[in-house]
Structure formats: structure tokens, C-alpha cells
């Protein structure tokens, strides 16, 4: 994916193959930014020779209204047009970026938390991107979850020898489960905010800056989620995951709570997955500790398969705090490239969703009447062809994947009960 800053000269978008090659792609994916803030992602047609900046400007004429709305919010003049030199009159530094620069110099201390499991190469790639963050007031905690060997420990030690910054604390959690790993890491957090990501992502240089900016945007903010874009969409399975829903949740900042900022969503607050997921979320450390961290019977590595992130987001909202979705807090996720992995992932998402809804009632029994009243709406959300969940699916999307997801959902309550029993047994 090309990263295009609209306030600067546009790049040349090259064809990946030689001129005349049948292997050269016919389209290119672009992330459009304005003043470093993600504005939109688009797919543009390619010629055999690629696109020169002047040609790219002609292809992207539809983006000007988006940029105008963005600049208007910042109190800046709207651009007259888009040329190879970028948007006219877009070089003025907005107030929001001035505030971000102030936070990067004097903002609160944060800790980045990464749970990893037998993927040392992927973890090192993630750490390399974290070392390039513009926000520098942070440290890192890596939790090695139920490792099969000492490969991850050795990889982290080698990485630390080659990097003076940031400081990295390595911890080992022998019991499987991402929630257990996060709770283990929570013991070592030094920052007033903890930013959580996965070992299969690369973070954008402005990721932590966006989190801190949103975290300090107003009173009552207890959680921040961010934009997750695919690092690549090169296989049919990766394309299907994007149709399944992907991880991206839009390019507009949203603040939601149970008071004056309820979204236009009949299933809110149960559909917190529309606001983000575990690969890109941050919490006020004191609030997360006060709530006991994450449900240890949930998450990847347990019978419940997932849902730990959704429950944590839900409990921020039901506890009277505000969740802010901030697209500037951007990470790039490496989708699994093969169909077999996608099948397992879709099934696990179904199990995790069922486990999450069950755990929500266990932790917040007062939510049960509200959940029961919305069963019909929830069923339409899951299977309706034009529902928010399914409207991105194209003709030919495998029916098998939909059946697998629903079968996993049906298993979710029992899987959560088994996972709780297993956790209690091991704890005793």
C-alpha cells in the first residue's frame, strides 16, 4: 500500500512488474493522509507504466471534498484543487498538530504492552516499528505467552543489545491465553496509559501520538482504540478477510459513552467491536487495574478463543467512562495468507463472540434484560445480507465461512464455561 501525504508533492505509483508483463498489478491501494492524519484508503487503476504524480492527481480528484471537510474542522482554508504538488493551501500547520507536538514533548508517560506466542521474527518486526515512534515518552513490556522454546527471549535480548531506546521489559507467562499474558504484563506497567498491540502488526510512527492525543482530549476518557489497516492484500484469503469485516473502523474520530455520546447503533453497547479490537487499544492504567485487568478465561490460547478485548472495551463504557476511536492511532496488520488459516480464524471469531456475550452477563448481570430485548436485532446483524456486518461481502463470498462463524458462535457459551473451569482448576 502506498502512503500518500496530500499536503506534499504526490509520489509516483509504480507498476510492480516490467512493462507489458501480465503479472503486473492492474490496481494499487493508497492510504491518503492530510497533515499526517489518515483521510481515506482508495484503490486506483494502474497503467503498465504506473502513474506519474500528474496522473495520480487526476485520478484522485474525488478526494478534494474529503480534504475540505478535514481542513474546515481545523479552521483552515479549503484547497482549490489537487495537483502534482499536492493540495493548494494545505501547508499551514493545523492547531491539532500543534497540540500533538506539545504532547510529544510533555505528554504523559505511556507503556506499550505486547503479548507474543512463538513468533520471534514477527515480534522483532513490531519492535522495529515501535522504535520509530515519534512519541518518545514510553517504555515497552513484552510478555512471552506459553513459549515452546527460549527463541523469543533470545530475540528480545538481541534486539535490546542493538537498540538503546526504548527500554524493554521481558516477562514470561507459562500458562496459555492472551488475557493471562496481558494481566501478567499489567503488573509491570509504569505508564499512566497502557497501549496494547499484537506481535503481527507494524505500528505507524504517529500511533502513540494519536493515542495520547485522544486520551487527553477530554474528561472521562478511559479507553482509546485506533485504525487497523491490512499490511497487504495479495491473496484471495486476505481479500476475504477484508470482506468478512477486516479490522478498519473508519477515518473519523468518535467519542462514545452511555450519556450524551451514544452512537446511532441499536445494538450499542454490545457491538463494541465496531469501535476497535485488541490489536490496537489503550487504557488508563489505573482504570484497567481497578477492573481486575482482562478476564483470564478468555482470549486466544483458551477454549473461549477470543472476546477478551471486547469485554474490556464494553466494561469501560458500562462503567460510565468514554471510549475514543482515533484513526491517527494507526497500525498495519499482517493478515494470514492462506484459506485454511482464514477458516480457523473465522471459527475462532465466532466462538469468541459467543464467549464475549456470555462473559458480559457474568460480569454485568444487569445487562441481561437489555441483551434479551435485542436478540432479533442481533440475529439480523449476523445473517442479514444488507446488515452492517455483511454489506461488504461480494458475490462469491464462501457460504462455508458464514456457517463456520455461526457454528462457532453457538459453541461460545459452552467454550467460555469450559475455559472458566479450566482456569479455576489450574489456579487451585
Amino acid at each position: 500500500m502506498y502512503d500518500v501525504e496530500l499536503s506534499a508533492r504526490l509520489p509516483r505509483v509504480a507498476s510492480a512488474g516490467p512493462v507489458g508483463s501480465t503479472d503486473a498489478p492492474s490496481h494499487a491501494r493508497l492510504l491518503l493522509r492530510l497533515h499526517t492524519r489518515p483521510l481515506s484508503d482508495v484503490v486506483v487503476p494502474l497503467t503498465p507504466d504506473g502513474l506519474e504524480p500528474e496522473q495520480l492527481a487526476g485520478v484522485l480528484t474525488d478526494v478534494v471534498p474529503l480534504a475540505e471537510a478535514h481542513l474546515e474542522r481545523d479552521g483552515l482554508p479549503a484547497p482549490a484543487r489537487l495537483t502534482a504538488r499536492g493540495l493548494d493551501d494545505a501547508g499551514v500547520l493545523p492547531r491539532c498538530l500543534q497540540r500533538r507536538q506539545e504532547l510529544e514533548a510533555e505528554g504523559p508517560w505511556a507503556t506499550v504492552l505486547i503479548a507474543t506466542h512463538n513468533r520471534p521474527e514477527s515480534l522483532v518486526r513490531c519492535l522495529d516499528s515501535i522504535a520509530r515512534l515519534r512519541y518518545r515518552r514510553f517504555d515497552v513490556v513484552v510478555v512471552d505467552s506459553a513459549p515452546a522454546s527460549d527463541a523469543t527471549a533470545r530475540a528480545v535480548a538481541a534486539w535490546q543489545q542493538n537498540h538503546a531506546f526504548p527500554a524493554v521489559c521481558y516477562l514470561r507467562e507459562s500458562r496459555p491465553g492472551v488475557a493471562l499474558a496481558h494481566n501478567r504484563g499489567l503488573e509491570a506497567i509504569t505508564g499512566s496509559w497502557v497501549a496494547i498491540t499484537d506481535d503481527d502488526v507494524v505500528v505507524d510512527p504517529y500511533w502513540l501520538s494519536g493515542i495520547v492525543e485522544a486520551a487527553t482530549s477530554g474528561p472521562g476518557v478511559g479507553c482509546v482504540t485506533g485504525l487497523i489497516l491490512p499490511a497487504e492484500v495479495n491473496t484471495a484469503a486476505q481479500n476475504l478477510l477484508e470482506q468478512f469485516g477486516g479490522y478498519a473502523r473508519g477515518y473519523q474520530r468518535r467519542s462514545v459513552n452511555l450519556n450524551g455520546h451514544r452512537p446511532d447503533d441499536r445494538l450499542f453497547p454490545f457491538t463494541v467491536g465496531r469501535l476497535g479490537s485488541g490489536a490496537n487499544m489503550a487504557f488508563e492504567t489505573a482504570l484497567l487495574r481497578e477492573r481486575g485487568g482482562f478476564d483470564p478465561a478468555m482470549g486466544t490460547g483458551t477454549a473461549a478463543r477470543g472476546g477478551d478485548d471486547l469485554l474490556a472495551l464494553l466494561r469501560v463504557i458500562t462503567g460510565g467512562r468514554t471510549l475514543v476511536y482515533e484513526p491517527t492511532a494507526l497500525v498495519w496488520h499482517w493478515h494470514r495468507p492462506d484459506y485454511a488459516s482464514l477458516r480457523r480464524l473465522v471459527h475462532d471469531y465466532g466462538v469468541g463472540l459467543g464467549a464475549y456475550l456470555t462473559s458480559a452477563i457474568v460480569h454485568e448481570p444487569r445487562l441481561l434484560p437489555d441483551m434479551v430485548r435485542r436478540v432479533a436485532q442481533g440475529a439480523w446483524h449476523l445473517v442479514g445480507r444488507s446488515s452492517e456486518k455483511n454489506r461488504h461481502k461480494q458475490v462469491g463470498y464462501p457460504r462455508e465461512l458464514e456457517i463456520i462463524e455461526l457454528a462457532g458462535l453457538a459453541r461460545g457459551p459452552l467454550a467460555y464455561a469450559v475455559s472458566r473451569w479450566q482456569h479455576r482448576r489450574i489456579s487451585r
Side-chain angles (χ1 to χ4, degrees), residues 51-186:
L51 293 174
E52 297 297 331
E54 294 79 6
Q55 295 172 301
L56 181 60
V59 171
L60 295 179
T61 52
D62 291 344
V63 82
V64 174
L66 288 174
E68 289 176 345
H70 185 96
L71 293 170
E72 183 179 355
R73 287 194 300 270
D74 291 327
L76 296 176
R81 57 177 180 157
L82 176 65
T83 69
R85 298 186 301 275
L87 285 169
D88 291 346
D89 301 322
V92 181
L93 188 67
R95 291 189 301 272
C96 59
L97 292 195
Q98 296 174 9
R99 181 173 182 269
R100 183 205 292 171
Q101 291 177 351
E102 294 171 356
L103 287 171
E104 288 174 348
E106 302 178 356
W109 187 262
T111 296
V112 176
L113 174 59
I114 310 169
T116 185
H117 176 68
N118 295 337
R119 293 194 291 202
E121 296 85 2
S122 181
L123 173 64
V124 167
R125 181 179 60 197
C126 180
L127 289 173
D128 286 343
S129 68
I130 287 172
R132 295 190 289 268
L133 285 170
R134 294 290 298 268
Y135 196 91
R136 309 299 279 181
R137 297 176 55 79
F138 74 97
D139 58 357
V140 179
V141 173
V142 172
V143 183
D144 200 356
S145 176
S149 69
D150 65 346
T152 298
R154 290 187 282 107
V156 172
W159 192 89
Q160 289 178 286
Q161 289 181 348
N162 296 320
H163 295 80
F165 179 87
V168 178
C169 171
Y170 170 87
L171 300 173
R172 179 180 175 129
E173 172 55 59
S174 59
R175 297 171 295 172
V178 68
L180 275 169
H182 285 156
N183 288 344
R184 178 75 173 91
L186 192 58

Side-chain angles (χ1 to χ4, degrees), residues 115-322:
T116 185
H117 176 68
N118 295 337
R119 293 194 291 202
E121 296 85 2
S122 181
L123 173 64
V124 167
R125 181 179 60 197
C126 180
L127 289 173
D128 286 343
S129 68
I130 287 172
R132 295 190 289 268
L133 285 170
R134 294 290 298 268
Y135 196 91
R136 309 299 279 181
R137 297 176 55 79
F138 74 97
D139 58 357
V140 179
V141 173
V142 172
V143 183
D144 200 356
S145 176
S149 69
D150 65 346
T152 298
R154 290 187 282 107
V156 172
W159 192 89
Q160 289 178 286
Q161 289 181 348
N162 296 320
H163 295 80
F165 179 87
V168 178
C169 171
Y170 170 87
L171 300 173
R172 179 180 175 129
E173 172 55 59
S174 59
R175 297 171 295 172
V178 68
L180 275 169
H182 285 156
N183 288 344
R184 178 75 173 91
L186 192 58
E187 300 171 5
I189 300 301
T190 62
S192 59
W193 276 79
V194 52
I196 301 174
T197 192
D198 289 343
D199 60 4
D200 58 354
V201 309
V202 170
V203 305
D204 186 76
Y206 300 99
W207 172 61
L208 201 51
S209 302
I211 286 175
V212 172
E213 183 181 358
T216 58
S217 61
V221 177
C223 177
V224 176
T225 58
L227 177 62
I228 305 174
L229 290 177
E232 63 178 17
V233 184
N234 293 335
T235 70
Q238 291 171 334
N239 189 357
L240 288 173
L241 179 56
E242 287 299 296
Q243 294 181 47
F244 175 72
Y247 302 101
R249 298 297 180 259
Y251 290 88
Q252 297 293 328
R253 175 189 281 190
R254 287 172 282 164
S255 297
V256 301
N257 55 40
L258 293 178
N259 299 317
H261 295 278
R262 297 180 67 100
D264 184 17
D265 179 356
R266 294 180 179 180
L267 295 174
F268 180 80
F270 302 108
T271 48
V272 289
R274 296 183 185 180
L275 300 169
S277 60
N280 190 4
M281 59 184 182
F283 297 87
E284 185 183 45
T285 305
L287 174 64
L288 193 56
R289 285 175 172 156
E290 177 187 318
R291 294 296 179 90
F294 296 88
D295 185 338
M298 301 183 71
T300 304
T302 70
R305 308 295 178 93
D308 53 306
D309 51 347
L310 302 181
L311 179 65
L313 299 179
L314 175 73
R315 297 194 72 196
V316 168
I317 295 172
T318 58
R321 302 292 293 274
T322 297

Side-chain angles (χ1 to χ4, degrees), residues 314-381:
L314 175 73
R315 297 194 72 196
V316 168
I317 295 172
T318 58
R321 302 292 293 274
T322 297
L323 183 155
V324 179
Y325 171 77
E326 174 51 65
T328 303
L330 165 66
V331 304
W332 306 85
H333 182 264
W334 291 87
H335 294 352
R336 298 175 187 180
D338 59 289
Y339 186 76
S341 295
L342 176 63
R343 288 180 81 257
R344 290 192 296 271
L345 184 67
V346 169
H347 172 263
D348 289 353
Y349 277 163
V351 176
L353 177 59
Y356 151 65
L357 294 173
T358 306
S359 69
I361 300 305
V362 170
H363 290 87
E364 306 276 357
R366 58 192 174 90
L367 296 177
L368 179 58
D370 200 16
M371 186 180 294
V372 170
R373 285 194 297 269
R374 305 186 191 192
V375 167
Q377 294 170 346
W380 168 252
H381 173 69

